[in-house]
Amino acid sequence: MSEAGGRGCGSPIPQRARWSLVAATAAFCLVSATSVWTAGAEPMSREEKQKLGNQVLEMFDHAYGNYMEHAYPADELMPLTCRGRVRGQEPSRGDVDDALGKFSLTLIDSLDTLVVLNKTKEFEDAVRKVLRDVNLDNDVVVSVFETNIRVLGGLLGGHSLAIMLKEKGEYMQWYNDELLQMAKQLGYKLLPAFNTTSGLPYPRINLKFGIRKPEARTGTETDTCTACAGTLILEFAALSRFTGATIFEEYARKALDFLWEKRQRSSNLVGVTINIHTGDWVRKDSGVGAGIDSYYEYLLKAYVLLGDDSFLERFNTHYDAIMRYISQPPLLLDVHIHKPMLNARTWMDALLAFFPGLQVLKGDIRPAIETHEMLYQVIKKHNFLPEAFTTDFRVHWAQHPLRPEFAESTYFLYKATGDPYYLEVGKTLIENLNKYARVPCGFAAMKDVRTGSHEDRMDSFFLAEMFKYLYLLFADKEDIIFDIEDYIFTTEAHLLPLWLSTTNQSISKKNTTSEYTELDDSNFDWTCPNTQILFPNDPLYAQSIREPLKNVVDKSCPRGIIRVEESFRSGAKPPLRARDFMATNPEHLEILKKMGVSLIHLKDGRVQLVQHAIQAASSIDAEDGLRFMQEMIELSSQQQKEQQLPPRAVQIVSHPFFGRVVLTAGPAQFGLDLSKHKETRGFVASSKPYNGCSELTNPEAVMGKIALIQRGQCMFAEKARNIQNAGAIGGIVIDDNEGSSSDTAPLFQMAGDGKDTDDIKIPMLFLFSKEGSIILDAIREYEEVEVLLSDKAKDRDPEMENEEQPSSENDSQNQSGEQISSSSQEVDLVDQESSEENSLNSHPESLSLANMDNAASISPSEQTSNPTENHETTNLNGECTDLDNQLQEQSETEEDSNPNVSWGKKVQPIDSILADWNEDIEAFEMMEKDEL
Ligand code: DMJ
């Protein structure tokens, strides 16, 4: 492709204005291939595409209609209880509530979706409502990042399409930039957040009082995430360019400049969190998912929207580093910023699913196809992308809040390749949403993709993004009332017009980005990739890349740690991996000693590890010791997770639920094991006495039914025996703590009473009060309520609708007098001894099912290997290759592994390594604790 306008991705028509050139960047990368496709997956007929498009419209109506009817003006809909989520009126969910500013979030986030979906009349009504009802001056502390991408972005997207419609002459004739005025008001409210020496914004701000004032209740934070500080430029620059007020773009640029300056200079990577005052990296792990994702996205898109080469230069530098260290096709795995050959995790988070879409915009199609295919297989396995999953594709965090990132990448890949395969992918997404997430009052997030249970939550991004991308996937040009190629998508899928690149352009130049003289960019490709070249006369190109990955998930073998091993192929002996370690192997014990790790056998058979850095044979050994200890934490946390009983599901199957509402339930360590037996189905009846602590006085009412019992006053097992004696076929214990919910508290297993519980034959499940009251409310309203107790929700198909008329010794005593099973981890790996040690600790806790804490533990067995980790890696054919053998062969030819040999690495002084370690250990511990 010829270059025009200097280095930028160019239009071949040099006389076109700069904005046209940048517009061409996006458009070219995204649309060229659609017309060249001639073969591959079966093409989808126009009728079927239209049918699917209509289905998306109907689904949107269901989500939006229920929000407007039952939740508006609240920020979000709670689709299980069918009411609005008002902050302060519901139990706090922590950080996730920081998106809620009492500003009708879902309505604002949905504005431009209405226009994309051709609902112009509804858009006009929605804009009137925003102008009439929304107050941006609430005394509430909100996330600067979320408010920017969802509310400022929503207002600007709404404004962009309002002026487009007005110009067309039919709708919005009354519109006089009111949304823009609101956006400007909000922009000024966010500005005090930037009052730091670094220019990085505080993560939170009080909409009414700003920062730091006593009444603001914020401004004491020291850290923010990289994406939080680096995802402002599109909205802020658009606001500046629409209004002429330069300050917004200047502030956003300054924050980006600071992040760029702070990148780790040898790896060119950035960490996940940064101190906003000192600029020190707080978490030094680096990936393309949670905490960093949209920083990269905004660098590339800022170039597209603003035409400033420096953004592309930065993006390319980071991209090069990502592809060098993080990309391990088809995986994307976090690494340490200053030890980028070391993986920081053995799992991936769902947010990284946006990355293939960004790679399309960049023009790097092959890895985009590979990663997308891997993600699709994970989805096929679990119906949705779990919030996090391991390198061998097991669930790590089981929630799925209806995130749109995978749909986004699917859309962009379809635009780039024209391959109808991606339409089929979209069809599966639609089917799964309807089958598993649709509830009578909207769409509910998945609490646990394994059980199919729901959470009372429908995030605004579901309307802002999911429906937009799905609709656009199936739409032809004529199905949309404007040209989508004239706009760029923000990270929340809000639309900003590309003509902004030439509007008020000079304002950005006076206070802009530093000069770039330091980079050697001779290797950068300054031209846009041409899909005609990417798919050279081969319409089967995308398919040929996917084919070898067909079974990558099913035939998976653990990957991700191999990078370190690969780095040693050059001649050095590979270090000992935690998963290979055997406490009975003298060679391993010798290696441990060299690494400064001592091993203590506890009386009860468990093993304790302590690392004394100064006892390591060399700095390199000490470094290996650190990595070994980190791996051991992660491995033991994984083992612990695997030992837990997974949660169960209570599905309401009678009218009008028909199986659509699935509640997440805690299992019992006694009674019928639902994972081994068929589910139990029956009508529910409350037991008398309700606590079930004595012989029931209403056996006729519970006979053949599932008894509801309140938690408290006696053991869970005693309740089970009493209802079983009364003839109940199952039991549901409902928490007596009013307001408790699985949204805010970790689930637990109901333990026995310390005696033999073999006599209990019926299944018993536990529900928190909020989930329990959904059943109690249903009884009040419909009298007859039938439920299904199972380990995984049954598909809600029409058939179900037709079935309307049916068919341990560490246990601790809770306040209610029952036993909650607690994990037996008094001491797991090591004790905290001194600051010179890397010590891995765990804390006793009740056995939590939904808890994401990293409670490190190690099995008492001598062999620590994870049974699923079999020392193999997966090649691109989905076959397993024995890496150990390769390494073995290689090490046989190696020279003697003298402990003092530095293996070609620079030897660091011990103090600096110690300092490094402490930071790494802290970062590692924090990493597991942080939620997305
Ligand atoms: C959205 O709010 C945005 O896409 C953001 O960048 C991160 N992800 C959520 C949805 O998952």
Side-chain angles (χ1 to χ4, degrees), residues 412-650:
F412 286 115
L413 268 168
Y414 178 61
K415 294 286 280 182
T417 64
D419 184 344
Y421 175 82
Y422 295 108
L423 296 177
E424 296 297 333
V425 172
K427 188 176 170 185
T428 306
L429 298 184
I430 291 175
E431 282 167 4
N432 288 351
L433 282 171
N434 278 326
K435 209 162 161 186
Y436 303 108
R438 191 176 176 127
V439 294
C441 187
F443 288 83
M446 305 309 293
K447 174 83 193 162
D448 190 315
V449 296
R450 296 163 302 180
T451 59
S453 58
H454 292 136
E455 202 172 335
D456 202 2
R457 159 175 186 190
M458 184 177 84
D459 289 75
S460 69
F461 52 68
F462 183 56
L463 288 95
E465 299 192 60
M466 183 72 92
F467 293 110
K468 221 177 253 158
Y469 289 124
L470 286 178
Y471 184 75
L472 288 170
L473 178 65
F474 298 106
D476 287 330
K477 222 173 162 46
E478 56 274 20
D479 296 327
I480 309 163
I481 53 176
F482 61 99
D483 190 351
I484 198 82
E485 310 301 341
D486 290 341
Y487 296 80
I488 190 157
F489 292 90
T490 68
T491 192
E492 189 79 357
H494 292 306
L495 296 174
L496 299 175
L498 286 167
W499 56 254
L500 285 175
S501 63
T502 50
T503 305
N504 287 327
Q505 193 182 18
S506 54
I507 61 168
S508 66
K509 297 289 173 194
K510 63 178 187 216
N511 202 350
T512 62
T513 328
S514 46
E515 284 296 302
Y516 288 85
T517 46
E518 59 191 282
L519 280 174
D520 172 15
D521 58 359
S522 51
N523 289 328
F524 294 157
D525 186 359
W526 288 99
T527 56
C528 238
N530 184 328
T531 40
Q532 311 264 349
I533 296 166
L534 285 169
F535 309 106
N537 301 323
D538 183 7
L540 293 172
Y541 176 79
Q543 198 191 352
S544 71
I545 295 173
R546 286 193 305 268
E547 190 57 28
L549 293 163
K550 233 175 34 200
N551 298 316
V552 72
V553 166
D554 284 343
K555 283 197 194 163
S556 78
C557 311
R559 278 187 57 120
I561 304 180
I562 58 163
R563 290 295 288 270
V564 178
E565 287 149 345
E566 280 167 357
S567 72
F568 283 91
R569 285 197 179 159
S570 49
K573 187 172 173 130
L576 178 63
R577 316 313 312 266
R579 65 176 190 221
D580 300 334
F581 172 66
M582 292 181 75
T584 48
N585 182 328
E587 206 189 324
H588 289 182
L589 296 178
E590 194 50 42
I591 299 174
L592 244 55
K593 208 169 143 197
K594 262 172 47 189
M595 298 192 299
V597 178
S598 23
L599 183 132
I600 304 160
H601 290 274
L602 299 176
K603 277 198 196 120
D604 60 7
R606 281 174 303 129
V607 173
Q608 197 177 53
L609 299 175
V610 185
Q611 188 189 31
H612 297 266
I614 45 170
Q615 288 174 8
S618 71
S619 58
I620 297 296
D621 290 311
E623 215 174 310
D624 286 344
L626 163 75
R627 183 189 40 74
F628 178 83
M629 296 293 271
Q630 287 180 338
E631 281 180 18
M632 197 57 100
I633 300 179
E634 200 164 332
L635 186 59
S636 56
S637 136
Q638 193 66 43
Q639 282 179 342
Q640 192 195 343
K641 272 201 178 115
E642 278 157 15
Q643 283 158 12
Q644 294 170 357
L645 283 180
R648 307 284 186 237
V650 174

Side-chain angles (χ1 to χ4, degrees), residues 145-146 149-150 293-294 351 403-405 461 465 491-492:
F145 165 79
E146 298 290 359
I149 65 168
R150 302 198 203 192
D293 47 6
S294 43
L351 286 166
R403 290 199 189 278
E405 283 78 4
F461 52 68
E465 299 192 60
T491 192
E492 189 79 357

